[in-house]
Structures are given as C-alpha cells and as structure tokens.
DNA sequence: GTGAAAGCGCTAACAC
DNA sequence: GTGTTAGCGCTTTCAC
C-alpha cells in the first residue's frame, strides 16, 4: 500500500509545524488565532493532496473513536434490521458511526465481539442482550463504559435501557383475538427463554386470557432447533389444543407458524404476532401485528447513549415505549 | 473509564521489560528463547489481571487490523443477510473480524464509509458495489488496498469479483415459466439500473423469450421510489400486458409484486424470482426461486480476499458461480 | 535470554 | 500566532 501522507508530511511540505496543521484541521484556527491566510493555505493544500488524518492514531491519542457498537442477535430479523437502520441515521447526526455485529445466538462470539469493540476503543455500546451476556456487560459497566440495552434488559443489571411495553402489547393483542376476532381458544407460541421481554409478553397474554376466564394454552419453542422441528411443534400445538386463535411472541415464530398453517392446512384464521413484518399482509390468513415503535426506540437509545458518553445522565435512564396494534 | 492496564504496567509489575512481555504475548517466546518459567509467569499474570492489548496501538504500529469491511446495499435483504453471515463465519476461521455497513442506497454515505474504514486501517474490503462507487473503489485499488466485489461488478474496474451466473439463471427461470409452467405471456420486472447483474438477468430473460418466439415484456422499476408506487406499477404492468407469468429480478421486487397480486387479485399463478426468500413457500401463488449459491459465493469471496492480503494472488480472480432453480 | 529505545500518526500543554 | 515536544500503547531492531 502506497505510503499515506501524515500530518508531519503536510507540515514539512508547507514549511510549518504540525501543531499549526493540527489546530487548523481540528477547527481550532480561530481559537488559536491562526491567520486566515495560513488557515486557507493549509486547508487548500490538504484538500489538494487528499490528506486524511489517521483515525487510529487520533483515537489512540484522544481515547475517543466517535464510533458506537451495535450488537443484535440477528441482523436479518426485520425488527433488528429496521432499528439498526434508524439508529445509524440518528447517531450519524451526532457525528458518530455505527459498527454492527450480529451475534447469531452464540454467546462466546458475542463476548469476544464486545471485547473486540472495547479493545478498539468504542465510545459506547447499544446491545439487545441475550442471556449469558450479563457478566460481560457487567464488566463494561464496572469500567464505566457507556451502555444502553434495548428490546430487553437483564434482570440483575443496573443499566440504561429502552424496551417496549411488552406486557401491555401482548394484552392488547390477546384481547384483540378474544374480543374483536371472537376467538375462544387462543394459544401463545413463545420461546423457552427467560428473557424479560418474553416474560412480559407471556404475562400480558395470561392476563387477557384470565380476564375472560379462558384456558391458558402456551407452547414454548426451543430457540436453537431446526425450523422444521419448530413447524411440527406448532402444528401439534394448534391441533392438539383445537386452537382457533394464536398469538406469536416474535415475528420469526410467526413465520414458522405460517408455514405450519399452510403446509398442514390447519385452517386457523385468527393470528397475531409481535413485530410487524412485510409478509404479514401478504399471507393467508393475514397476520395482525403488535408493532413496536421502532423510531421512538431508536431515538431514545441514541439520546441516552450520547448523553451517557457526555456525562449528562445523572442517573440510570430506563424507558418503556408503547406498542400499537395493526389489525388485519 | 477506569484506566486500563498497558503492557508497560504489566512489565513494571512483573519487574521485567516490555519487550519480553510483548514477545511472550505474541507467541515469540520460543523463538526468542525466553525461559519457560518466565513465560508461564507472564501468561499467568496477564490472565489473572485480565490484561488485553490495545488493538488500536497494535494496529497503529503494525499497520494491520485483522479486520475486513463488508459493504452491502441493504443488510435486511435476505440475500445479503445470509451471505454476510457466511462470510463472517469463514473470515473468523482465518482470524479476521468483519465490520459491516449497510449503504442503504446512499452513495455519499457509502463513500464516507469506505473512507472511514480505510482510515481505520481495514485490511481489505468486500463490497457489493452500487453505481457511483467506481471512483472510490478505483482509489482503493490505486492504493493497493485488497478488494473483492460480489453480487455484481463495475464495468470499467479491473478487480477481483465473485458473481452468480445471472444470464443463465434468468434463462433457466424464464424457460421454466414458458416450458414447465406453460406460460405464454411472461414479463420481466427489473430495476432501472445499469448494474451488470441486472443486465445479465435481463439478457437471460430475453434469450429465453426470444428462443420461443414470444414477446418481450419488460418493466423497469425506479429503485428509490415508495413501495406503494412500485406496487401500482407492477399491477399495471401485469394487467396492461395480460401476463400469465412473471419473472422478478430480485426478491424485494417479488415482495412488492406479491402485494400487487394479492391486493388487486390479479390471478397470476406463474411466478419466479431471483433469490430465495423465506416467504416464497408461504404465499399464494408460491414463488419459484432462482437461488444463488450463497455458500459458494461466500467461500470464494473470503478465499480471494485473504489471498490478496497475503499477496498470493498473481492476477485478478474473477469467479462466476452457477445458480439453481427451486421449483414450486 | 532480556532490555533500551525508536517510532507508528496524532493532540495539546507549554514555550516563545 | 506558531513551534517544540511528550506521550497514547504497542512492536521490533539492536545491544549486551
């Protein structure tokens, strides 16, 4: 690779000192009362030769990288993809860049990634945490690294977080099935995870079912298993319990469920899922969605993190954002 | 943030020099004939206090970051999400990390990102290039930065690339509609982009249609417009031309098309799309897919890039990977 | 076998 | 107003 120009090359070529160049490049020309003429000369030259400061050296020196790390479980999940997109745009307005990482359900990878980012002097973390990350995140917090969790939080961790009103969302969704759709046997398909957002959704479901004096019918799917197994389990769940309505706790569960419904002709028509997905209006039966307010979540996440970095958060900020039902 | 331990802290605490610590940490203990006892003592201590080298300083010094940049248009597109996942896993086996960025159709952002990555001493780039990136990529090449393009390539750029057999894929897909499905009026919905992979797909379609002596019916959709507009245009295209079969050049076009078909009850049953998507088996009509060999593409991309970094590519490597049809 | 010291490119306190 | 220089944490040459 052709040797890149450094600030001292610039200084030498211009016959001035690196300090002056540095000040000018960092918009401190006025403050340091460097002459307009010189400022212009430097800027023009820098522009002409296309000099770009080495960010690595800059970060090493300043301890700031103007970069935030975003860790999600699966970036191809439409919920995470959308939120990542929003977060990136918002952070950009504050002069921050985002590097993402998809953890793909692998705790060890996730830990390594957090460590990697930390080693690279990332200024702050945005994490949709999985179980098993408690320890690493705890370590970050102990080192005063700015962190904000979203989508869920971890029970024994005192952190900033932004989550959706899961309980209430599930409550509304279930009621929608029972009252609007007049379903009488409504099941919940969720995952066998203790993640708080899943607990909230389950409790919301339970409350709604309970209030109507109906049976609670719950299936917990093993998270890591093959899609085919999931499909079969959902089929059995629906058939064995003669469900006429079903609430899926996540959009990927709904997708597996739809495959089951279609493939085995289960004839179920009343379906609600957490998280909107482009497919839900396309399929038969159409799926109503409990949609999380992605824009609001992203906005809060970025605000909180930037404030944290700037030391403006006096105490923990924990935000719960309402959901909305999209009836189909 | 609590001050992190540096290598000199370690050396000081152990009463030895930084050199020795550095050698041991970089697996040069044997080579430099450092005693086993000392090696063990250092390793144990480092482990105990949880010291991690500052990667920034390391990269600054060595000029290598063991990190690759992956730039795609839209990481929420299932094709890119899947390929990103594979690439990440493969690169990891070579000791490389991946940082992604989604360019979201914004050339300026993309340029900035490339520059940012470059400034951060990224060891190589994997890019699914959009038009307008020619210049920046040219600049990378001029600076001998290892680059490999995938999914498409840019005409006047002499680079490594890995692409699918677009022409042949479209040919097979179109033939499938004409011969297997006995469609007689088959249209192509593509985007108004000059990207080479789109040209290849169009030509494949044309060849197949031509061979059967059928009419060529092509609609180019403006890439940036609202989904609703796309839906309306596809509806009109299908209706105005009384199509009984349609080939979509990308999976997101197919998704819009499916919305049109469903919403306006177009009654079209013979549909093929480039790129597999989880939805295609769920919807009515089921969509057959011209599936790209994602695993092979990822493997080639990583191999080529690593070889390039290690100076093992004597000349440009340009690979074309066959597609496969998933009939439904 | 181990250590001293230069230097990667940058910022900023201090000097003049 | 501008320059000198220390130092961020690391690797590696050279010296002993």
């Amino acid at each position: 690779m052709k040797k890149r120009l450094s600030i001292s090359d610039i200084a030498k070529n211009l016959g001035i000192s690196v300090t002056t160049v540095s000040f000018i490049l960092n918009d401190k020309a006025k403050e340091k009362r460097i002459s307009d003429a010189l400022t212009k000369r430097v800027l023009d030259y820098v522009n002409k030769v296309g000099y770009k400061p080495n960010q690595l050296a800059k970060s090493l020196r300043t301890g700031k990288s103007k970069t935030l790390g975003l860790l999600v479980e699966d970036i191809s999940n439409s919920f995470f993809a959308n939120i990542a997109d929003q977060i990136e745009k918002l952070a950009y307005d504050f002069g921050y860049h985002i590097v993402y990482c998809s953890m793909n359900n692998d705790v060890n990878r996730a830990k390594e990634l957090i460590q990697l980012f930390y080693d690279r002097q990332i200024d702050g973390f945005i994490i949709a945490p999985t179980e098993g990350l408690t320890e690493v995140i705890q370590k970050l917090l102990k080192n005063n690294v700015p962190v904000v969790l979203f989508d869920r939080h971890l029970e024994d961790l005192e952190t900033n977080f932004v989550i959706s009103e899961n309980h209430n969302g599930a409550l509304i969704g279930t009621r929608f099935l029972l009252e609007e759709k007049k379903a009488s046997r409504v099941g919940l398909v969720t995952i066998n995870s203790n993640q708080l957002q899943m607990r909230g959704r389950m409790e919301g479901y339970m409350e709604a079912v309970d209030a109507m004096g109906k049976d609670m019918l719950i299936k917990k799917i093993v998270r890591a298993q093959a899609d085919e197994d999931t499909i079969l389990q959902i089929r059995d769940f629906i058939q064995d319990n003669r469900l006429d309505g079903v609430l899926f706790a996540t959009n990927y569960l709904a997708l597996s469920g739809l495959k089951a419904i279609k493939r085995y002709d289960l004839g179920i028509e009343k379906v609600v899922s957490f998280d909107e997905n482009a497919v839900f209006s396309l399929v038969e039966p159409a799926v109503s969605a409990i949609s999380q307010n992605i824009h609001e979540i992203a906005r809060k996440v970025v605000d909180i993190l930037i404030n944290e970095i700037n030391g403006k958060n006096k105490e923990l900020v924990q935000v719960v954002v309402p959901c909305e039902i999209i009836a189909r």
Side-chain angles (χ1 to χ4, degrees), chain A:
Chain A
M1 196 177 313
K2 192 174 62 185
K3 180 91 173 39
R4 291 176 56 177
L5 287 174
S6 77
I7 195 171
S8 69
D9 295 324
I10 303 290
K12 205 178 302 161
N13 296 350
L14 250 33
I16 58 176
S17 82
V18 289
T19 314
T20 309
V21 179
S22 174
F23 282 153
I24 292 174
L25 257 30
N26 289 294
D27 291 326
K28 292 187 182 153
K30 279 274 170 294
E31 181 187 326
K32 300 291 175 180
R33 303 198 298 167
I34 292 166
S35 69
D36 287 359
L38 183 54
T39 303
K40 184 168 173 350
R41 195 157 74 92
V42 171
L43 256 22
D44 284 351
Y45 182 72
V46 159
N47 225 358
K48 191 184 108 206
V49 298
Y51 163 74
K52 300 282 175 186
N54 180 324
Q55 296 296 331
L56 235 46
K58 193 166 177 163
S59 297
L60 179 60
R61 183 59 236 232
T62 60
K64 306 250 145 270
S65 63
K66 283 287 187 178
T67 302
L68 309 176
L70 173 60
L71 287 98
V72 299
E73 231 167 307
D74 173 14
I75 193 72
S76 60
N77 180 325
S78 61
F79 172 69
F80 288 127
N82 284 328
I83 217 155
D85 195 50
Q86 300 259 355
I87 286 178
E88 193 170 351
K89 288 204 179 69
L90 291 166
Y92 190 77
D93 293 339
F94 285 98
Y96 282 84
H97 288 278
I98 298 285
V99 300
Y100 328 55
C101 267
S102 207
M103 313 189 273
N104 297 321
N105 239 340
D106 181 339
V107 175
N108 286 325
R109 263 176 68 64
K111 286 186 189 169
E112 267 191 68
L113 285 170
I114 292 178
Q115 183 68 53
L116 177 79
F117 283 0
Y118 181 48
D119 295 341
R120 293 272 159 83
Q121 319 276 74
I122 277 218
D123 293 342
F125 284 88
I126 300 169
I127 307 176
T130 49
E131 298 166 83
L133 249 46
T134 309
E135 209 179 312
V136 230
I137 296 177
Q138 186 74 66
K139 200 170 127 198
L140 291 176
L141 296 173
K142 209 176 295 166
N143 288 318
N144 289 316
V145 180
V147 173
V148 42
L149 308 185
F150 76 100
D151 189 47
R152 39 214 128 136
H153 59 116
L154 297 172
E155 241 166 335
D156 8 77
L157 232 44
E158 306 225 318
T159 55
N160 304 305
F161 62 72
V162 181
I163 55 172
S164 280
E165 228 178 52
N166 290 300
H167 182 109
N168 198 247
L171 181 71
I172 296 171
T174 311
R175 264 199 209 137
F176 173 77
L177 285 169
L178 292 167
E179 296 176 5
E180 309 282 316
K181 293 281 191 179
K182 311 282 184 218
S184 65
R185 293 183 61 79
V186 172
L188 168 71
V189 176
T190 180
I191 54 173
N192 75 331
S193 146
N194 208 21
Q195 291 174 1
L196 282 178
Q197 87 279 25
M198 291 306 160
R199 289 237 299 270
R201 290 172 196 184
M202 189 162 83
E203 284 159 12
Y205 161 83
M206 289 187 185
E207 184 182 326
V209 168
D210 206 31
M212 300 276 287
K214 303 281 186 180
D215 297 347
M216 290 184 199
L217 305 158
I218 300 177
K219 180 72 191 177
K220 292 194 177 188
I221 301 288
V222 174
R223 187 78 169 73
Q225 75 189 4
D227 194 32
E228 287 307 314
D229 295 333
T230 303
I231 292 173
L232 292 178
Q233 287 181 12
I234 294 175
R235 178 196 62 182
D236 294 346
F237 176 58
I238 291 176
Q239 284 182 331
D240 296 350
N241 296 291
R242 301 178 325 272
L243 302 185
D244 62 350
V246 57
L247 172 67
F248 291 99
T250 75
N251 62 7
Y252 57 82
L253 286 173
L255 289 180
S256 301
L258 285 167
K259 287 185 195 156
I261 292 169
K262 180 167 171 72
R263 193 183 299 168
Y264 300 105
D265 217 357
L266 302 179
I268 198 164
E269 304 234 298
K270 298 157 185 174
V271 182
V272 172
S273 172
F274 244 88
D275 298 334
E276 175 64 330
N277 183 302
V279 185
F280 289 168
S281 60
L282 283 177
V283 290
E284 201 59 63
V287 178
S288 302
I290 302 159
S291 164
Q292 302 190 57
N293 190 336
I294 289 183
H295 187 258
E296 183 64 11
I297 294 174
R299 216 175 55 74
K300 288 286 184 201
V301 162
V302 173
D303 273 0
I304 294 171
L305 190 57
I306 302 280
N307 280 335
E308 188 77 33
I309 290 171
N310 297 328
K312 285 193 188 149
N313 288 345
K314 299 304 168 216
E315 49 203 31
L316 291 183
V317 189
Q318 307 189 325
V319 179
V320 179
V321 178
C323 301
E324 182 194 13
I325 189 150
I326 300 175
R328 293 202 170 93

